Structure formats: C-alpha cells, structure tokens
Amino acid sequence: MFPEPYFGILRELIRLRGALVPFIYSLARETQVSATPFMRPMWWDHGDISLAWAIREQYMFGPLLVRPVADHVGTPSLVDVWFPSLPGKGEVISWNGDAIGASNATVSLSAPIQLTPVFVPVGSIIPMWPPGLRTGSTASRSVMWTTWVTRS
C-alpha cells in the first residue's frame, strides 16, 4: 500500500468524498437541468476576465473553488490562488475554516500535503452526510446541511 503520511491522507479524502455524496448528487441534478458542468475551468464563469483564461491550476466544483497541488516534496508548497468576484459579499472561507476575505485578488497561500486548498463562498450551503455513512444504509436518508458563514 502507501506509506504514511500518504495512506492517512488518502483515507481522509475518501471519507470526505463519501460525506459529499449528497452535494455531488445535487450538482449532477443541476447539470442535468442546466447543462452546466459541475467541474468547470475558471473561464466558464468568468470568461470576461482575461486572467480567468490563463489560470489552469484551479477550477470550480459547484460553488467551491479548488486549487489542487500535485508537486509536494514533503514541505508545504506555496501556491497562488485567484479569487474571482463572487456573489454576495465576495468573501470566501477555506474548507478547514480559516477565513480569507479576498475577492478579485490573487493570494499566495501555504498548502501542506494533508490539505488541498478548497474555498467556499460565504453563505454557501453544502449538503453532506455524517462521516462514515454508506450509500445504501437507511441512515443515509438523513442529510446534514452545512452552512458556511463568516466569523464575527
């Protein structure tokens, strides 16, 4: 298998993917209705901004902005993330809860190997299952609704 820390990181990502099944299903439904892909390059939503056409390292996953890092060598990588103008206040929060108040700006962030930079626009509602549920279980009929709000 994979040595640590990679095995533990993969295990957590698989658990997160399982928890996100209701979110992924809702994105699939939206795709069926609107023909808008749920994984989109930056230019899809922001084609009027020339910078969006040049960015190839990040993408939108529904309302989430994802900046994967594939070149870790054991130390945290420093990555540039472009935050386009977003609806509402334009604020985003990183998936791990660190507030980042950027809109239409590029920010350099540290990305340790165990943390994929994912950012959620403030006010987004992400349907999720509690950790550890399986698709066919009766408990999978209950969904947690996670709302992302700013800290005061």
Side-chain angles (χ1 to χ4, degrees), residues 82-125:
W82 175 56
F83 297 99
S85 295
L86 298 167
K89 294 181 181 180
E91 297 174 312
V92 294
I93 301 173
S94 67
W95 187 265
N96 66 348
D98 298 336
I100 297 175
S103 182
N104 204 17
T106 301
V107 179
S108 289
L109 300 170
S110 177
I113 191 167
Q114 67 274 15
L115 182 65
T116 299
V118 176
F119 304 93
V120 186
V122 168
S124 295
I125 299 173

Coordinates of all heavy atoms in Angstrom, one line a residue, residues 82-125:
W82 N -6.3 32.5 -7.3 CA -7.0 33.6 -7.7 C -8.5 33.5 -7.3 O -9.1 32.5 -7.5 CB -7.0 33.7 -9.3 CG -7.8 34.8 -9.8 CD1 -7.8 36.2 -9.4 CD2 -8.9 34.7 -10.7 NE1 -8.7 36.9 -10.1 CE2 -9.4 36.0 -10.9 CE3 -9.5 33.7 -11.4 CZ2 -10.5 36.3 -11.8 CZ3 -10.5 33.9 -12.3 CH2 -11.0 35.2 -12.4
F83 N -8.9 34.5 -6.5 CA -10.3 34.6 -6.1 C -11.1 35.5 -7.0 O -10.8 36.7 -6.8 CB -10.4 35.0 -4.6 CG -9.7 34.1 -3.7 CD1 -8.4 34.3 -3.2 CD2 -10.3 32.9 -3.2 CE1 -7.8 33.4 -2.3 CE2 -9.7 32.0 -2.4 CZ -8.4 32.3 -1.9
P84 N -11.9 35.0 -7.8 CA -12.7 36.0 -8.7 C -13.7 36.7 -7.9 O -13.9 36.4 -6.7 CB -13.3 35.0 -9.7 CG -13.4 33.7 -9.0 CD -12.2 33.6 -8.0
S85 N -14.4 37.6 -8.5 CA -15.5 38.3 -7.8 C -16.6 37.3 -7.6 O -17.0 36.6 -8.6 CB -16.0 39.4 -8.7 OG -15.1 40.4 -8.8
L86 N -17.0 37.1 -6.4 CA -18.0 36.1 -6.1 C -19.3 36.8 -5.7 O -19.4 37.9 -5.3 CB -17.5 35.2 -4.9 CG -16.2 34.5 -5.3 CD1 -15.6 33.9 -4.0 CD2 -16.5 33.4 -6.2
P87 N -20.5 36.0 -5.8 CA -21.7 36.6 -5.4 C -21.8 37.0 -3.9 O -21.0 36.5 -3.1 CB -22.8 35.5 -5.7 CG -22.0 34.3 -6.0 CD -20.5 34.7 -6.2
G88 N -22.7 37.8 -3.6 CA -22.9 38.3 -2.2 C -21.7 39.2 -1.8 O -21.4 40.1 -2.5
K89 N -21.2 38.9 -0.6 CA -20.1 39.8 -0.1 C -18.8 39.6 -0.8 O -17.9 40.3 -0.6 CB -19.9 39.5 1.4 CG -21.1 39.9 2.3 CD -20.8 39.6 3.7 CE -21.9 40.0 4.6 NZ -21.6 39.7 6.0
G90 N -18.7 38.5 -1.5 CA -17.4 38.2 -2.2 C -16.4 37.6 -1.3 O -15.3 37.4 -1.7
E91 N -16.8 37.2 -0.1 CA -15.8 36.6 0.9 C -15.9 35.1 0.7 O -16.9 34.5 0.4 CB -16.2 36.9 2.3 CG -16.1 38.4 2.6 CD -16.6 38.7 4.0 OE1 -17.7 38.2 4.4 OE2 -15.9 39.4 4.7
V92 N -14.7 34.5 1.0 CA -14.6 33.0 0.9 C -14.0 32.5 2.2 O -13.2 33.3 2.9 CB -13.8 32.5 -0.3 CG1 -14.5 32.8 -1.6 CG2 -12.4 33.1 -0.3
I93 N -14.3 31.3 2.6 CA -13.7 30.6 3.7 C -13.0 29.4 3.2 O -13.6 28.7 2.4 CB -14.7 30.3 4.8 CG1 -15.5 31.5 5.2 CG2 -14.1 29.6 6.0 CD1 -16.6 31.2 6.2
S94 N -11.8 29.1 3.7 CA -11.2 27.8 3.3 C -11.9 26.7 4.0 O -12.6 26.9 5.0 CB -9.7 27.8 3.7 OG -9.5 27.8 5.1
W95 N -11.9 25.5 3.4 CA -12.6 24.4 3.8 C -12.3 24.0 5.3 O -13.1 23.6 6.0 CB -12.3 23.2 2.9 CG -13.1 22.0 3.2 CD1 -12.8 20.9 4.1 CD2 -14.5 21.7 2.8 NE1 -13.9 20.0 4.1 CE2 -14.9 20.5 3.3 CE3 -15.3 22.4 1.9 CZ2 -16.1 19.9 3.0 CZ3 -16.6 21.9 1.6 CH2 -17.0 20.6 2.2
N96 N -11.1 24.3 5.7 CA -10.7 24.0 7.1 C -11.1 25.1 8.1 O -10.8 25.0 9.2 CB -9.2 23.7 7.2 CG -8.3 24.9 6.9 OD1 -8.8 25.9 6.4 ND2 -7.1 24.8 7.2
G97 N -11.8 26.1 7.6 CA -12.3 27.1 8.5 C -11.5 28.4 8.6 O -12.0 29.3 9.3
D98 N -10.4 28.5 8.0 CA -9.6 29.8 8.1 C -10.3 30.8 7.2 O -10.6 30.6 6.0 CB -8.2 29.6 7.6 CG -7.4 28.7 8.5 OD1 -7.8 28.5 9.6 OD2 -6.4 28.1 8.0
A99 N -10.7 32.0 7.7 CA -11.3 33.0 7.0 C -10.4 33.6 6.0 O -9.2 33.9 6.3 CB -11.9 34.0 7.9
I100 N -10.8 33.8 4.8 CA -10.0 34.5 3.8 C -10.9 35.5 3.1 O -11.9 35.1 2.5 CB -9.4 33.5 2.7 CG1 -8.5 32.6 3.4 CG2 -8.7 34.3 1.6 CD1 -7.9 31.5 2.6
G101 N -10.7 36.8 3.2 CA -11.6 37.8 2.7 C -11.1 38.3 1.4 O -10.8 39.5 1.4
A102 N -11.0 37.5 0.4 CA -10.4 38.0 -0.9 C -11.5 38.0 -1.9 O -12.3 37.0 -2.0 CB -9.2 37.2 -1.3
S103 N -11.5 39.0 -2.8 CA -12.4 39.0 -3.9 C -11.7 39.7 -5.1 O -11.2 40.8 -4.9 CB -13.7 39.7 -3.6 OG -14.6 39.6 -4.7
N104 N -11.6 39.1 -6.2 CA -10.9 39.6 -7.4 C -9.5 39.9 -7.0 O -9.0 41.0 -7.3 CB -11.6 40.8 -7.9 CG -11.3 41.0 -9.4 OD1 -10.8 40.0 -10.1 ND2 -11.6 42.1 -9.9
A105 N -8.8 38.9 -6.4 CA -7.4 39.1 -6.0 C -6.7 37.8 -6.1 O -7.3 36.7 -6.0 CB -7.3 39.6 -4.5
T106 N -5.4 37.8 -6.2 CA -4.6 36.6 -6.2 C -3.8 36.6 -4.9 O -3.2 37.6 -4.5 CB -3.6 36.6 -7.4 OG1 -4.3 36.6 -8.6 CG2 -2.7 35.3 -7.4
V107 N -3.8 35.5 -4.2 CA -3.2 35.4 -2.9 C -2.3 34.2 -2.9 O -2.6 33.1 -3.4 CB -4.3 35.2 -1.8 CG1 -3.7 35.0 -0.4 CG2 -5.3 36.3 -1.8
S108 N -1.1 34.3 -2.3 CA -0.2 33.2 -2.1 C -0.4 32.6 -0.8 O -0.5 33.2 0.2 CB 1.3 33.7 -2.2 OG 1.6 34.1 -3.5
L109 N -0.7 31.3 -0.8 CA -1.0 30.5 0.4 C -0.1 29.3 0.6 O 0.3 28.7 -0.4 CB -2.5 30.1 0.3 CG -3.5 31.2 0.2 CD1 -4.9 30.5 -0.1 CD2 -3.6 32.0 1.5
S110 N 0.1 28.9 1.8 CA 0.8 27.7 2.1 C -0.1 26.5 2.0 O -1.2 26.6 2.5 CB 1.4 27.8 3.5 OG 2.1 26.6 3.8
A111 N 0.3 25.5 1.3 CA -0.5 24.3 1.1 C 0.2 23.0 1.6 O 1.0 22.4 0.8 CB -0.9 24.2 -0.4
P112 N 0.1 22.7 2.8 CA 0.7 21.4 3.3 C 0.1 20.2 2.6 O -1.0 20.3 2.1 CB 0.4 21.4 4.8 CG -0.7 22.4 5.0 CD -0.7 23.3 3.9
I113 N 0.8 19.1 2.6 CA 0.4 18.0 1.8 C -1.0 17.4 2.2 O -1.7 16.9 1.5 CB 1.5 16.9 1.8 CG1 1.1 15.8 0.8 CG2 1.6 16.3 3.2 CD1 2.2 14.9 0.5
Q114 N -1.3 17.5 3.5 CA -2.6 17.0 4.0 C -3.8 17.9 3.8 O -4.9 17.6 4.2 CB -2.4 16.6 5.5 CG -2.3 17.8 6.4 CD -0.9 18.2 6.6 OE1 0.0 17.9 5.8 NE2 -0.6 19.1 7.6
L115 N -3.6 19.0 3.1 CA -4.7 20.0 3.0 C -4.7 20.5 1.5 O -3.9 21.2 1.1 CB -4.4 21.2 3.9 CG -5.5 22.2 3.9 CD1 -6.8 21.6 4.4 CD2 -5.1 23.4 4.8
T116 N -5.7 20.0 0.8 CA -6.0 20.5 -0.5 C -6.7 21.9 -0.4 O -7.7 22.0 0.3 CB -6.9 19.6 -1.4 OG1 -6.2 18.3 -1.5 CG2 -7.2 20.1 -2.7
P117 N -6.2 22.9 -1.0 CA -6.8 24.2 -0.9 C -8.2 24.2 -1.6 O -8.3 24.1 -2.8 CB -5.9 25.2 -1.6 CG -4.5 24.5 -1.5 CD -4.9 23.0 -1.6
V118 N -9.3 24.3 -0.7 CA -10.6 24.4 -1.2 C -11.3 25.5 -0.5 O -11.1 25.7 0.7 CB -11.4 23.1 -0.9 CG1 -12.9 23.2 -1.3 CG2 -10.8 21.9 -1.6
F119 N -12.0 26.4 -1.2 CA -12.6 27.6 -0.7 C -14.1 27.6 -1.0 O -14.5 27.3 -2.1 CB -11.9 28.8 -1.3 CG -10.4 28.7 -1.0 CD1 -9.6 28.2 -2.0 CD2 -9.8 29.2 0.2 CE1 -8.2 28.1 -1.8 CE2 -8.5 29.1 0.4 CZ -7.7 28.5 -0.6
V120 N -14.8 28.1 0.0 CA -16.3 28.1 0.0 C -16.8 29.5 0.1 O -16.4 30.2 1.0 CB -16.9 27.3 1.1 CG1 -18.4 27.2 1.0 CG2 -16.2 25.9 1.3
P121 N -17.6 30.0 -0.9 CA -18.1 31.4 -0.8 C -19.0 31.4 0.5 O -19.8 30.5 0.8 CB -19.0 31.5 -2.0 CG -18.4 30.5 -3.0 CD -18.0 29.4 -2.2
V122 N -18.9 32.6 1.2 CA -19.7 32.8 2.4 C -21.2 32.7 2.0 O -21.6 33.2 1.0 CB -19.4 34.1 3.0 CG1 -20.4 34.5 4.1 CG2 -18.0 34.1 3.6
G123 N -21.9 32.0 2.8 CA -23.4 31.8 2.6 C -23.7 30.5 1.8 O -24.9 30.2 1.7
S124 N -22.7 29.8 1.3 CA -23.0 28.6 0.6 C -23.5 27.5 1.6 O -23.2 27.4 2.7 CB -21.7 28.0 0.0 OG -21.2 28.9 -1.0
I125 N -24.4 26.7 1.0 CA -25.0 25.6 1.8 C -24.5 24.3 1.1 O -24.8 24.1 -0.1 CB -26.5 25.7 1.9 CG1 -26.9 26.9 2.6 CG2 -27.1 24.4 2.6 CD1 -28.4 27.2 2.6

